[in-house]
Structures are given as C-alpha cells and as structure tokens.
Amino acid sequence: MTVNEAVPRGEGVPFTPRPVKAGADDPVEVRMTVNGTPTALSLPARVTLADALRDHLGLTGTHVGCEHGVCGMCTVLVDGEAARACLLFAVQLDGADIVTVEGLGRPDALHPLQESFGRHHALQCGFCTPGFLMSSYDLLTNQPDVTEEELPEELSGVICRCTGYRNILTAVDETRRAHPEGVPAPGNCGRTALVGRAGQGADASDGPDETENAASSGTRDIVLPGGDPTIAVRITTGIDLPEDRVWGVLDDIHLLARCLPGAELTDDYGHGHYAGRARVSVGPVKLTFNGVAQILEHDRAAGRLRAIARGQDTGGAQTQADITLTTEATETGTAMHADAKVYLTGRIAQFGRALAGDVSRRMFEQFADAVTEAAASGQAPSGPVKAPSALSLVFAPLLDRVKRLLRRGGRRRRGGREKER
C-alpha cells in the first residue's frame, strides 16, 4: 500500500505529499490538527479517518453508516472542505486540518446550524445529523447564495433513514436566510485532550507546552449547558453528629472526595479547581470518567458547599453536574441536603431518566453514609466507596418499600397503645 507522507513545510509553502510504501498493518505516524488540537498518532496504514476519529481520538460524533461513501453520515471537514471520513485513510492526511461535528459548537454556545436543527426538530433518530450539519456548513460557507429550491439537490449527498428531509431543509434554509454572507466559523475548536477507547488513543501533543496546557485546562472555569438537566436529585440525610463534626469532612476536599462512590481525586490545581476520575457500573456497562471539578461556594458559616463538575469517558459519554450541599442543625444532630442537577450525553444518557435517576440517588445516599462514617471517625472511610451495582438498583426500591411499611406499622402500633392508655 502506498500512503502519503507530508514533506516538512515552512511559512507559505503548500502541502506536498511524498509517497511511502507501507503494509496494511504497518504502523505509520500521522500528525494532524483535529478541532484545533494538534494530534500525533501511530496507526496501521489501513485505518480509515472515521475509525481514527472514533476509536483513537474518542470523537464518536462522526457516525459510520454504509462505509462506501454513499450515505454521507461520516462527513467531516478536511482543510475546510467536506469529505467522507470512511473513504480516507488517516495516514493520507498527515498535516491536514480536520473539523468534526464536535468542533462545530459548544453545549453552552451552539452553532447557528445546530440551534436551527434543534428548533425545527431536524434530527429524529439523530444518526444522520452530524453528516447533515457538516455538509450544510460546507454548503453555506462555500455557496452562501444557494437558493431554497437548490437545497434538496445540494444536500442529497446525505441520506436520512427517518425520511425527515422536510424539517432538515427548513432548518438549513432558516440558517441560510439568517446568514446571507455565510455562516459563522466552527465555535469549539481549541486545544483539548483527545483520548480514544480502551487506551487506543493518543493525547493531543505537539510540543513541550503540553503539561502546561493540561494544567491550564484544569484551572479554566467550567460552563454548564443551559436548559433543563437530564435528571435532578434531592436527598436529605440525618446525621447523628453535631454540624461542626460534619463540616470537619466538608472542609477537607481530599477527605470529601474519598467519600464519593467510585471517585478518586487525581490532582489539585489550586484556586478551587481539581481533577479526578469516577467509575460507574450498571450491569455489563462500565464507564470511567476523567474530568475536572470546581468549587464555587464553600461557606461553613452559612452551611453551604457548591461545586460543578464535568467528565467524559473514552467512549464519548459525557456527564456534567451542579451539586449543592447544605447543612442545618437539628435536635438529634445534623440534616444534610444534597441537590444535584445532572446533564448526560452519549451512551450513559441511553439508560433513561428513571435508571439514571436511581443511580444518582443511590450514589448520593452512599456518599451521605460515607460522610457520616468519616465525621464520626475523623478519617476516610475504611474501604473504597463503591458505586451502586445493578443488583442493588434492582433490590433497593423493594428494600425502601419494606422500610416504609415497617415504619408505618410501628407508628400504628404506637398509636394503638396510646389509645389503650
């Protein structure tokens, strides 16, 4: 197999490929910029751009359909032009600039095309949506004067298996009318960590400033998406200890992190910014999230601690959360309230709101138990706090019901004895 290797080029020198022979399974080093992030990968010559993006860089927004260049699902931008990622070998693109649907907009600042697609429900199952978004962007950038009548033919290179073309055309036409001079450039292209599945990927790297870049990403303020969260959870737990004992745990972020089920604090960037990882397992689905957290409020006098966090697993699942802990003194000790707004995307969101809500609720209950243990002993829980298992999620509602029935029965018996007296 013959692949193209980039010849080093200087300022203003055009890209000139140099043919190099390599076997289909021979690793070839390829460097390209993906969504503004320089990346270096060592890939077999047979790996397509689509597989490199999905499996080696974790960018699963590029969908793979027919793998023959017909359906258009895998459309991305290569050096500013729309291209089928399934028809290109990654090693052909040494030195190229790639933009995928992840680079088009951010959750808190969607691209106009994304906003229009959402407004007109131009997505249905969503499988063709990345291809239509990138193809539409290419069309409106290079042909801003395209007419409404020409849109069906111009967008015919992407197939919608839900036959939702009418809404798609309406969304693209609305964006065309709103931006007659051409749509804005992609709004989510910048240096970030790109990691593939099961250790296949490579962190973005192109120079000695990578360590500094990683640290700076940890101290960047987290922006949560707008709109309603996927799930909202409120848990109240009674702790038979004075409030100041509970805050002995809440004041120590490292100790507090040890109380989070499946969580581990990996770095302290200072100024209330932290890095960590969390593991969640529901049946056969096992997810490991790497992410960052930021303490927004830490007021012992007011009994309030608020943090926001963002994490992503190597398969593309993302979770973001806004968590507030409040405490108040009671006759028997302390009442601790945990309020959480959780935003889920990717395969973790496919669990459904009910299951995701149960997982989150059980995790907060385990967290409260661990805080109680740490407050009583003054040290971290004796063993790691494990995330809830599938079995516990099945039987927990039954156990809760039994407890409620026992409490209700106890109240009735006490009431009966009082009547007898």
Side-chain angles (χ1 to χ4, degrees), residues 56 115 118 125 140 143 159 166 185 195 215 241 259 288 316 332 410:
H56 296 265
E115 290 181 334
C125 83
L140 298 184
Q143 293 179 244
I159 296 173
R166 179 56 57 192
V195 183
L241 291 169
C259 297
T288 299
T332 58

Side-chain angles (χ1 to χ4, degrees), residues 280-354:
V280 179
S281 176
V282 181
V285 180
K286 295 179 172 32
L287 303 173
T288 299
F289 291 91
N290 293 298
V292 291
Q294 179 183 355
I295 305 296
L296 297 183
E297 297 180 54
H298 194 146
D299 191 338
R300 181 175 184 145
R304 182 179 173 87
L305 173 66
R306 182 182 173 214
I308 55 177
R310 181 186 67 235
Q312 178 171 333
D313 91 318
T314 54
Q318 295 184 9
T319 178
Q320 300 176 82
D322 185 345
I323 303 169
T324 301
L325 298 176
T326 55
T327 62
E328 58 181 335
T330 65
E331 292 182 358
T332 58
T334 305
M336 184 173 70
H337 311 285
D339 291 273
K341 299 176 182 177
V342 184
Y343 304 83
L344 304 174
T345 56
R347 57 179 176 157
I348 191 172
Q350 297 172 3
F351 290 154
R353 292 175 183 267

Side-chain angles (χ1 to χ4, degrees), residues 19-43:
V20 175
K21 287 188 176 181
D25 294 313
D26 293 343
V28 178
E29 183 172 307
V30 55
R31 291 178 177 270
M32 51 189 171
T33 300
V34 182
N35 296 335
T37 299
T39 64
L41 296 169
S42 181
L43 302 169

Side-chain angles (χ1 to χ4, degrees), residues 231-254:
I231 50 176
V233 177
R234 179 176 175 82
I235 299 293
T236 298
T237 302
I239 300 176
D240 296 330
L241 291 169
E243 195 173 4
D244 64 332
R245 292 281 296 277
V246 176
W247 273 92
V249 178
L250 302 185
D251 282 338
D252 187 339
I253 300 301
H254 292 266

